[in-house]
Amino acid sequence: MRRIFYLFLLIFATMACRTHRPIGSASGAKEALDSTDILLNLGQTRFLKPLGIHVTFAHVLEDSRCPKGMHCIWAGVAAVEVSVMGIYTRPQTLRLATTALPAKGYETMQRFNEYMLRMNALEPYPHSSSDTTRQPPYQLRISIIKQ
């Protein structure tokens, strides 16, 4: 009986020590231990209440990525401007890119207050077809990581 009690106590203590945050939410943000992943449409602003920040996908600066199905000498780069503002801070414009190019001011990660913002993807990825009239609007996937 004593063994069962200690086993139960060990299981309960292990479960109580685990940090848990929701993996999904109605707002479209995914949270992990100290990271929040969000998807933004071009021009969209999202207020992340638990973090106390507004994030806006402002502009696509460059999209020179090698189209699918093509063989390119250089993979290219996708770069965007993101505006970030805290509840008590002024807005800051960050340039995020798929490849760091310091000469252009592009970084894959940028700091805002106690967070690091990382560009995960810019969609849609370019195609080799010449028909660009039906290209869906840009969507940006970023991670916000607590430092």
Side-chain angles (χ1 to χ4, degrees):
M1 184 71 168
R2 188 174 249 183
R3 277 186 167 165
I4 294 173
F5 174 74
Y6 285 120
L7 180 61
F8 176 74
L9 185 62
L10 178 67
I11 292 170
F12 180 74
T14 303
M15 291 177 69
C17 291
R18 295 175 70 190
T19 303
H20 181 273
R21 283 190 173 170
I23 296 299
S25 67
S27 68
K30 288 185 186 176
E31 296 179 20
L33 293 176
D34 286 342
S35 175
T36 301
D37 296 332
I38 61 171
L39 176 67
L40 293 168
N41 294 317
L42 183 59
Q44 181 182 8
T45 298
R46 178 163 293 153
F47 176 60
L48 304 170
K49 190 173 183 177
L51 307 180
I53 61 174
H54 292 85
V55 181
T56 302
F57 177 15
H59 298 96
V60 175
L61 298 171
E62 180 178 341
D63 190 0
S64 62
R65 297 174 290 176
C66 184
K68 287 182 182 177
M70 299 292 290
H71 295 285
C72 302
I73 296 171
W74 184 53
V77 64
V80 300
E81 274 189 352
V82 176
S83 177
V84 188
M85 183 174 71
I87 295 173
Y88 303 107
T89 60
R90 292 183 178 187
Q92 211 176 13
T93 300
L94 308 176
R95 289 182 164 195
L96 298 172
T98 55
T99 303
L101 295 173
K104 289 187 170 187
Y106 297 168
E107 297 294 335
T108 57
M109 294 181 79
Q110 292 276 336
R111 176 176 293 282
F112 175 76
N113 294 344
E114 68 267 21
Y115 301 103
M116 289 296 285
L117 280 76
R118 179 182 64 217
M119 180 174 175
N120 294 332
L122 181 65
E123 297 170 355
Y125 199 90
H127 292 289
S128 60
S129 73
S130 60
D131 182 19
T132 58
T133 57
R134 293 186 181 172
Q135 179 178 338
Y138 281 110
Q139 290 187 315
L140 174 65
R141 292 185 185 279
I142 60 173
S143 292
I144 303 169
I145 304 147
K146 178 108 169 130
Q147 294 293 298

